[in-house]
Amino acid sequence: MDTIASLFSFITWPVSWVIVQFHTVYGAIFGPDTGWAWGLSIVSLVILIRICLIPLFVKQIKATRAMQTLQPEMKKIQERYKNDRQRQSEEMMKLYKESGTNPLSSCLPILAQSPFFFALYHVLAGIASGKKIGVIDADLLESARNAHIFGAPLAAKFFSSDSQVSALHASLTDVRIVTAIMIVLMSASQFYTQRQLMTKNVDTTVKTPFMQQQKMLMYVFPIMFAVLGVNFPVGVLIYWLTTNVWTMGQQMYVIHNNPTPGSKAQAAYLERLTKHVTQHGKIRRRSEKAIVKAIVAKGRDRNEFERKFVNALNKAGLAAQADGTVTKSAAQAAAQTEDGAAAGTDSATAARRQQPKRQSKSQRQSGGTKTGDSPSLEKSDAPQDAKPAAAKQPQKSGSGTRSKAQSGQRKGGPQRPKSPSKK
């Protein structure tokens, strides 16, 4: 680690100068020899570096979005060469080259801040060994050596010897407890950031080699930081823990406000945007207009969540415009009203057609049926107690054993009165 840090010694002076300037401010508040003054100076250095890296982070986001536009082409390549992994990788690399995108662009912020990380390590290693480095003179060196964070000196390490820790006026137990907690927090924040990216902000419809690399890094980076963390001074652990927390918060902001198309985060974002637009009838921020503009420009290439968003606007009588705004769609609302009325008319007509035709009184009395009438309708419409007048004539004694047809009832045909029998 010391050899790698020496390679970045050319920026040791500016890094030490920034720390001293912040120490001057915080020393006036907390005291120049306190751990708060030196610890907050390191935290402020991280924040300053990350603010300077915001343009690079924006470039990273744009590169990521460019990768997302290639997802349909990637999917075609996967389907075409699904049985040939090598050819699939070659076609993917060819596609990256033609489109001018780089799948490793997400590593740019880490690579950019690496020189500052190693320069800070070089400064703290000099403080631990009692050597003046950069703009840190003898007085500042003694002040930094006496500064403690929860009982642990800034220059102490997890594997520092008892004699080294005693020279810094501290306890080895305190040093190992503080460094162990910081290492766990540093690794956990790194893992959560990567897991949040993979589970919420990745389009899972297309699987690429880049996604597999990201999934692997999600487990490799925390383990790597845990292994290397035991060799980091407390001041460097403060630096790395702060930058991990910054990255986690920055990633949460991006996922919440500018999610990846096709991801779970986009589904949640468009659901929130749909509720707001249907209630207020307009778009709030410029970033939302940019997202709606991109959805409109896709046309038939919209994913499931984007189509659901557009359909929800149409049902509310709204229409997304090409410039990202939302306007009321009177024609759409009128068309929906006409369709609803027509559907209601058709259903009423169909219901009327399904009603059986009632028979006239003479038809019910005569028991006759028209051609095409259903026998079931005759049976349901005819009164249960309706009998021919002739059926009321006195019957011949002993006729109880006769069939039903002799009592004036005919099977399978219309009823007719029976003439009275002669005695």
Side-chain angles (χ1 to χ4, degrees):
M1 184 66 69
D2 294 333
T3 303
I4 298 176
S6 62
L7 298 176
F8 299 95
S9 58
F10 62 93
I11 60 172
T12 299
W13 193 92
V15 169
S16 62
W17 183 83
V18 172
I19 292 178
V20 169
Q21 300 307 311
F22 282 122
H23 174 263
T24 302
V25 175
Y26 293 119
I29 301 174
F30 301 102
D33 299 333
T34 60
W36 288 105
W38 287 100
L40 290 175
S41 298
I42 297 174
V43 172
S44 300
L45 173 67
V46 175
I47 295 175
L48 179 62
I49 293 174
R50 297 309 299 264
I51 290 175
C52 293
L53 292 178
I54 286 178
L56 186 60
F57 177 74
V58 173
K59 185 177 180 180
Q60 174 194 359
I61 293 296
K62 291 181 179 180
T64 305
R65 292 294 182 263
M67 288 288 297
Q68 294 165 2
T69 59
L70 299 178
Q71 296 298 321
E73 297 296 329
M74 293 179 183
K75 192 172 184 179
K76 292 179 182 179
I77 292 175
Q78 287 180 342
E79 293 176 354
R80 186 179 303 171
Y81 305 105
K82 59 183 178 180
N83 297 325
D84 191 349
R85 295 288 182 180
Q86 183 177 358
R87 183 64 183 278
Q88 185 181 122
S89 300
E90 292 175 356
E91 293 295 328
M92 288 286 187
M93 297 305 298
K94 184 179 178 181
L95 180 63
Y96 296 151
K97 186 176 180 180
E98 292 177 353
S99 59
T101 57
N102 186 1
L104 299 178
S105 58
S106 60
C107 300
L108 289 177
I110 296 178
L111 296 176
Q113 66 177 327
S114 296
F116 301 96
F117 169 76
F118 288 111
L120 177 63
Y121 180 89
H122 194 52
V123 170
L124 294 174
I127 293 174
S129 59
K131 294 188 302 184
K132 293 185 293 185
I133 186 169
V135 299
I136 299 179
D137 54 16
D139 295 336
L140 291 173
L141 180 62
E142 186 65 22
S143 175
R145 287 176 62 86
N146 293 327
H148 293 70
I149 299 292
F150 300 109
L154 292 177
K157 306 176 185 178
F158 184 84
F159 284 140
S160 295
S161 63
D162 194 7
S163 59
Q164 291 174 336
V165 175
S166 299
L168 297 173
H169 311 288
S171 170
L172 183 59
T173 303
D174 294 338
V175 170
R176 291 188 174 179
I177 291 176
V178 172
T179 53
I181 293 174
M182 286 188 175
I183 290 171
V184 170
L185 293 176
M186 181 179 67
S187 301
S189 59
Q190 179 72 32
F191 177 79
Y192 181 79
T193 301
Q194 289 296 118
R195 180 176 175 80
Q196 181 180 231
L197 179 65
M198 293 299 298
T199 57
K200 294 183 179 180
N201 204 38
V202 170
D203 185 2
T204 56
T205 59
V206 180
K207 297 186 181 297
T208 63
F210 175 67
M211 290 178 58
Q212 299 298 326
Q213 295 174 5
Q214 288 290 101
K215 188 175 181 179
M216 180 181 66
L217 293 177
M218 180 176 68
Y219 296 97
V220 171
F221 273 169
I223 296 175
M224 182 179 66
F225 284 125
V227 172
L228 296 178
V230 295
N231 296 315
F232 290 164
V234 174
V236 174
L237 292 178
I238 293 174
Y239 174 92
W240 207 249
L241 177 59
T242 305
T243 193
N244 280 358
V245 172
W246 177 283
T247 303
M248 183 173 62
Q250 188 173 253
Q251 188 69 48
M252 292 176 64
Y253 176 83
V254 172
I255 291 175
H256 188 270
N257 295 282
N258 194 12
T260 299
S263 63
K264 295 180 180 179
Q266 189 197 31
Y269 176 85
L270 292 179
E271 185 176 355
R272 296 193 304 268
L273 185 60
T274 301
K275 291 180 180 180
H276 173 79
V277 174
T278 53
Q279 290 177 359
H280 303 279
K282 61 181 180 179
I283 300 295
R284 293 178 295 181
R285 296 190 294 265
R286 184 180 301 177
S287 60
E288 294 176 347
K289 290 184 179 180
I291 292 177
V292 174
K293 182 178 178 180
I295 292 175
V296 174
K298 286 184 178 181
R300 295 183 177 181
D301 294 333
R302 301 186 187 107
N303 57 46
E304 178 185 357
F305 309 127
E306 293 167 347
R307 289 194 296 268
K308 185 177 179 180
F309 170 72
V310 173
N311 293 336
L313 293 182
N314 293 336
K315 290 180 180 179
L318 301 172
Q321 304 301 315
D323 59 351
T325 59
V326 174
T327 59
K328 292 183 178 180
S329 177
Q332 181 71 19
Q336 290 180 352
T337 304
E338 291 177 0
D339 293 342
T345 303
D346 294 342
S347 61
T349 303
R352 286 197 300 269
R353 288 176 180 175
Q354 293 177 358
Q355 292 180 358
K357 186 176 180 180
R358 296 181 61 84
Q359 293 181 342
S360 63
K361 184 176 181 181
S362 60
Q363 289 176 339
R364 292 195 302 271
Q365 290 179 352
S366 61
T369 55
K370 293 183 179 181
T371 304
D373 288 347
S374 174
S376 60
L377 295 181
E378 289 182 12
K379 189 174 182 179
S380 60
D381 290 340
Q384 297 296 328
D385 58 345
K387 295 182 179 179
K392 297 180 180 181
Q393 298 295 330
Q395 300 296 324
K396 188 176 180 180
S397 60
S399 61
T401 59
R402 295 183 180 181
S403 65
K404 191 177 180 181
Q406 291 180 338
S407 61
Q409 302 291 335
R410 294 188 63 184
K411 297 182 180 179
Q415 305 290 328
R416 72 179 182 181
K418 183 179 180 181
S419 56
S421 58
K422 297 181 180 180
K423 293 183 179 180

